[in-house]
Amino acid sequence: MGERWALLVVREIAMGSTRFSDIVRGTGAPRDRIAARLKALEAAGVVRCEPSPGGRRHAYGLTESGADLVPVLNALLAWGDRHAIAADDPERPARYRKLIKPGTTVEEDE
């Protein structure tokens, strides 16, 4: 998890990005770096990769281990919300929303 881009990859998947191109776009990282991180995270049991219907693409998701990182991401988000994001930022409500662990509801996650 300490490798550059790893937490951002997990964040993107937790936010619902399942396709490689969406993960790259969301992180802003070079494609080769995201490919390397996804492989490392899959090998570590944090991310799972499954063929999409049709078999030409892959869909990424979080494993149980990866989903357990969501509270960590939320803690970082709360810190950023308090110390690094301007209160009058017009994108604040949409862009900096709390993440929910896959398979839970908002009430269960709190």
Side-chain angles (χ1 to χ4, degrees):
M1 290 313 309
E3 293 182 33
R4 189 172 184 182
W5 306 109
L7 276 177
L8 292 178
V9 168
V10 172
R11 177 200 68 187
E12 287 303 309
I13 296 171
M15 290 177 67
S17 296
T18 60
R19 294 182 50 188
F20 179 77
S21 59
D22 294 332
I23 296 167
V24 169
R25 188 177 313 111
T27 62
R31 295 176 67 81
D32 63 328
R33 291 291 87 215
I34 296 306
R37 286 308 157 259
L38 283 166
K39 285 181 183 178
L41 290 167
E42 187 176 7
V46 174
V47 169
R48 61 179 160 67
C49 177
E50 300 171 349
S52 293
R56 290 187 42 186
R57 299 180 188 255
H58 292 91
Y60 295 94
L62 296 177
T63 63
E64 184 178 343
S65 173
D68 284 346
L69 287 168
V70 170
V72 174
L73 293 170
N74 280 326
L76 290 169
L77 181 65
W79 179 89
D81 190 44
R82 184 170 176 172
H83 299 288
I85 310 292
D88 60 349
D89 183 343
E91 293 186 19
R92 184 181 189 144
R95 198 164 177 203
Y96 305 103
R97 59 184 163 75
K98 184 177 179 183
L99 302 173
I100 301 171
K101 285 175 81 168
T104 63
T105 64
V106 175
E107 294 80 24
E108 292 172 334
D109 199 51
E110 291 179 346

